[in-house]
Amino acid sequence: MISTEEEAAPGLLAPLKNPTFRSIFLASQISSLGWLMQTVALGWLMATVSSSDVLVALVQASSTLPAFFLAVFVGAIADNYSRRVVMIVGRSLMMAASAMLTILMALGIHDPWMILTFSFLDGCGIALSDPAWRASIGDILERRHLPAAITLLNVGFSTVRSVGPALGGIIVAAFGPLVTFALTTLGFVAPLTALWRNKWNVQSSSLPREALMTAIYDGLRFTAISSEIKSTIVRGTLFGFASTSTLALLPLIARDILKGGPVGYGIMMGGFGAGALAAGLMNPRLRQRLTQERLVILACLACALCEISLALTSSLAIAAVCLALGGAGWVTGWSGLGVNVQLASPRWIVGRTVSVYSAFTYGGIAGGSWFWGAIVQNYSLPSAMAWSAVATLGVAALGFKLPISNRSESELEPAGGFCAPSIALDLKPRSGPILVTTEYTILEEDLDQFLQIMQKRRYGQSRVGARQWTLTRDVQQPSRWVESFRTPTWTDYHRLHHRLTEADRELGNALLRLTATTNPPRTNILVGAQPELRENLIFRWHIYRTNEGEPFLRRVCRRAIDNEHDRKRVAPVTADRYPKRLIFIRQDTEQARGNAPPMSFAFERRRIRESG
């Protein structure tokens, strides 16, 4: 059944009424157009300065691989730091790389590895800014505008992708790569200006920022637990793998089947873009009448029909019409999948889930492009298109096993109102691990209902950070049940309760009602025992020498052992003796989170120099 929010779904252009979103969206389209133009110029420049086919192919790979390998890290960064600042850093990196490339080209320097380096830096900037931008949409707009906004992003990029490469080719042919790089650099100024001038309110947390590795672990854990996000990732990866054959093989179709040349290729890309735009305009109405799953199935059917038609037709007009259908399916499919990831993710983790989803879908598209190209090389172009149509239909059929559900837009938001329990110990934020146990007395006639509630409770607690959740039964008193879970630190315990939703709180109330006739639940909070910490620092210096060190360089590696966390801190120093040796020094401390006093550290450095 379609929810009330979806029945009142706003139109495609409704998000543009928000001035902040409108400014950043339009500036991003200018930036994307410039980036696509630069990609064409880089490929052409590499083809002219290098005779290696591998290096030419690596231009495209170098700009897309960072989005795949850095996705998990940048998602954690987007959730733990200001997303606006993260977007500014990413866009600044793209502009700096493009500006340096323009300057070097003006000086006559165009080494192949220089081209790959700046293409890789551009990809790193995109990998850093794109998850933060997509995660910020829910902060800028109301959640009911999310479907229209995500559809608008897909329509905008599909339209720009239809125009950008052709425009880039014209500029490269008429003025050369240098002018293209200069225009791209100017295009990157637009999103930076929009981000600098616009600020938006973000719900802040009173808790300390998560450590990067902990944030990554929580993001991967949430993704693995959420069946909706897992289904979307699997469907999205396979959809990208199967349907990318249309765009990946389109130049070959224009050249070998339709004999259309560059003009025919441009007409076909125009048909694809027109279909994408039409589907975007129709998407809000389709969402009112169809569920998310049916929209994805409809998108798969449209893409499959386009692929099989391109394998059979030799008419440019028919191919353009079929590509319009394929463009409509492409935008509808990616919009539906992207909306589902956003709605299945609360705001505190949406950057990480979007990043994981993007990494897998980019990997699927890249793998599909290579796979269908290999099929063409070993068999034939019509065979590759026909088999890709079969694979796309398989993605639609997979909906019977991994369906995409319609989720309410507010049921994953934290309920708030958590009151910290009173404690007798002076716990620090990093104290831990924390063990929480809750005892229940359950009558035999209430056992089935209790187990059903606890199954939902296990999912809810684990989703927001509970680790090693278990439910045990007393063999001597069968009515006694014990629920237990752990959190790494005391702060993580607070963070868990701040993330609980209203549905999770209702499960706790249901347990209270279930045990109303027996003993009420009893919760115990335990902390891991720590040895007594000494206030004085104890230093043990270990000197190691090697003849393979860099000349005139000394590095002093200082290791502070924290009773709660083991961290490594490196302090580089230089010395004027033993220029052919590298000395490593390890300092162990028994004070929690303690560093060596500066005077002691300087004294030890002098002692080493004097002793040799």
Side-chain angles (χ1 to χ4, degrees):
M1 183 177 178
I2 303 175
S3 63
T4 305
E5 291 89 339
E6 291 176 345
E7 290 178 1
L12 178 67
L13 302 181
L16 295 178
K17 296 179 181 178
N18 184 294
T20 300
F21 178 83
R22 180 177 63 248
S23 176
I24 299 175
F25 170 76
L26 295 177
S28 297
Q29 301 312 300
I30 297 174
S31 174
S32 298
L33 181 64
W35 177 73
L36 290 167
M37 291 165 49
Q38 179 174 271
T39 301
V40 173
L42 286 172
W44 177 259
L45 180 62
M46 181 65 81
T48 57
V49 302
S50 175
S51 59
S52 173
D53 295 336
V54 175
L55 289 179
V56 174
L58 283 178
V59 172
Q60 184 70 21
S62 63
S63 63
T64 55
L65 284 179
F68 179 74
F69 289 107
L70 302 178
V72 178
F73 297 94
V74 299
I77 293 173
D79 283 334
N80 280 278
Y81 296 87
S82 169
R83 290 165 182 163
R84 175 176 169 269
V85 174
V86 173
M87 292 167 64
I88 291 176
V89 172
R91 295 291 183 176
S92 299
L93 178 60
M94 296 174 66
M95 189 181 71
S98 182
M100 286 298 300
L101 183 61
T102 304
I103 294 172
L104 293 175
M105 278 292 299
L107 297 176
I109 303 173
H110 38 71
D111 181 76
W113 292 106
M114 176 199 75
I115 297 172
L116 291 179
T117 299
F118 286 110
S119 179
F120 177 79
L121 291 177
D122 269 341
C124 291
I126 295 173
L128 189 62
S129 61
D130 188 63
W133 166 228
R134 292 184 177 271
S136 298
I137 296 174
D139 298 328
I140 300 173
L141 302 172
E142 297 178 15
R143 293 205 61 155
R144 66 188 186 91
H145 288 118
L146 275 179
I150 294 172
T151 303
L152 196 61
L153 291 183
N154 287 301
V155 171
F157 185 73
S158 297
T159 304
V160 169
R161 183 166 53 183
S162 302
V163 177
L167 184 60
I170 294 173
I171 295 176
V172 170
F175 304 102
L178 178 60
V179 175
T180 308
F181 296 149
L183 292 176
T184 300
T185 304
L186 293 177
F188 288 153
V189 175
L192 277 176
T193 304
L195 289 169
W196 190 263
R197 295 178 59 183
N198 292 278
K199 297 182 180 180
W200 54 91
N201 295 325
V202 180
Q203 184 178 2
S204 60
S205 174
S206 58
L207 298 174
R209 184 182 293 122
E210 285 185 276
L212 181 61
M213 297 308 298
T214 302
I216 292 174
Y217 176 85
D218 287 346
L220 295 175
R221 179 184 177 86
F222 184 93
T223 304
I225 291 176
S226 174
S227 58
E228 294 173 324
I229 295 180
K230 284 191 297 184
S231 299
T232 305
I233 288 176
V234 172
R235 299 282 294 280
T237 303
L238 296 178
F239 179 74
F241 181 90
S243 63
T244 193
S245 61
T246 301
L247 293 175
L249 305 180
L250 196 58
L252 300 179
I253 295 173
R255 185 192 67 183
D256 299 338
I257 297 181
L258 302 179
K259 311 296 182 182
V263 176
Y265 178 70
I267 293 175
M268 296 168 71
M269 287 298 298
F272 187 90
L277 179 59
L281 294 173
M282 295 174 56
N283 191 268
R285 295 185 179 181
L286 291 175
R287 286 179 56 83
Q288 292 179 23
R289 293 171 171 79
L290 300 175
T291 61
Q292 292 274 31
E293 177 60 33
R294 290 185 178 180
L295 279 176
V296 173
I297 292 177
L298 184 63
C300 292
L301 294 177
C303 290
L305 183 59
C306 172
E307 290 157 357
I308 197 65
S309 299
L310 291 176
L312 299 176
T313 187
S314 58
S315 170
L316 180 59
I318 296 177
V321 174
C322 294
L323 281 166
L325 184 63
W330 181 269
V331 166
T332 302
W334 289 123
S335 299
L337 294 169
V339 168
N340 194 67
V341 172
Q342 290 263 5
L343 296 184
S345 306
R347 300 306 308 161
W348 56 268
I349 204 169
V350 66
R352 282 163 279 185
T353 55
V354 168
S355 297
V356 173
Y357 164 77
S358 299
F360 277 94
T361 52
Y362 285 151
I365 292 173
S369 300
W370 171 84
F371 179 80
W372 300 120
I375 294 295
V376 172
Q377 185 175 1
N378 291 280
Y379 296 96
S380 66
L381 183 55
S383 298
M385 296 303 298
W387 280 111
S388 67
V390 174
T392 306
L393 292 175
V395 177
L398 193 62
F400 293 101
K401 182 67 175 178
L402 298 173
I404 295 176
S405 60
N406 279 57
R407 173 179 284 278
S408 172
E409 298 175 357
S410 59
E411 60 183 270
L412 285 178
E413 289 306 302
F418 170 66
C419 296
S422 58
I423 55 176
L425 295 178
D426 182 21
L427 295 183
K428 305 299 182 183
R430 295 175 59 192
S431 298
I434 303 298
L435 172 64
V436 181
T437 64
T438 305
E439 298 183 7
Y440 303 94
T441 302
I442 304 299
L443 301 178
E444 193 67 28
E445 57 268 21
D446 298 329
L447 185 57
D448 292 339
Q449 183 180 357
F450 172 74
L451 293 178
Q452 292 177 3
I453 295 175
M454 296 308 290
Q455 184 177 6
K456 297 178 182 178
R457 186 174 172 86
R458 176 184 182 181
Y459 169 78
Q461 299 274 16
S462 301
R463 179 176 51 81
V464 295
R467 304 185 183 185
Q468 302 178 21
W469 190 99
T470 58
L471 178 64
T472 55
R473 190 178 190 180
D474 195 330
V475 295
Q476 295 179 328
Q477 301 180 25
S479 62
R480 180 173 175 267
W481 293 77
V482 179
E483 172 197 13
S484 64
F485 63 87
R486 295 175 182 267
T487 61
T489 65
W490 182 238
T491 299
D492 291 317
Y493 170 81
H494 282 254
R495 186 174 285 117
L496 180 151
H497 285 278
H498 278 281
R499 293 172 175 174
L500 291 176
T501 65
E502 196 61 44
D504 297 329
R505 299 283 174 84
E506 181 57 33
L507 291 177
N509 296 332
L511 289 172
L512 290 176
R513 292 192 296 268
L514 194 65
T515 58
T517 58
T518 59
N519 297 327
R522 178 184 175 186
T523 299
N524 298 307
I525 304 175
L526 301 92
V527 62
Q530 297 290 343
E532 182 180 359
L533 304 180
R534 280 180 284 180
E535 292 297 330
N536 297 325
L537 295 174
I538 299 177
F539 305 103
R540 295 189 297 275
W541 297 91
H542 305 275
I543 302 177
Y544 305 92
R545 294 176 180 174
T546 173
N547 293 325
E548 299 178 359
E550 294 289 338
F552 305 102
L553 178 65
R554 306 283 191 269
R555 291 185 61 189
V556 177
C557 297
R558 183 176 51 171
R559 184 184 181 188
I561 298 181
D562 191 321
N563 287 67
E564 296 173 348
H565 292 276
D566 190 9
R567 291 185 173 183
K568 295 181 180 179
R569 301 179 178 88
V570 178
V573 297
T574 59
D576 53 0
R577 298 183 60 185
Y578 304 101
K580 296 183 179 180
R581 293 180 180 178
L582 189 65
I583 302 178
F584 292 95
I585 304 169
R586 189 183 72 198
Q587 170 196 355
D588 297 339
T589 174
E590 296 182 4
Q591 183 186 32
R593 300 181 301 280
N595 295 326
M599 293 300 295
S600 299
F601 190 57
F603 172 78
E604 293 295 341
R605 285 169 53 188
R606 289 196 300 271
R607 187 172 66 85
I608 294 167
R609 292 179 183 178
E610 295 171 0
S611 65

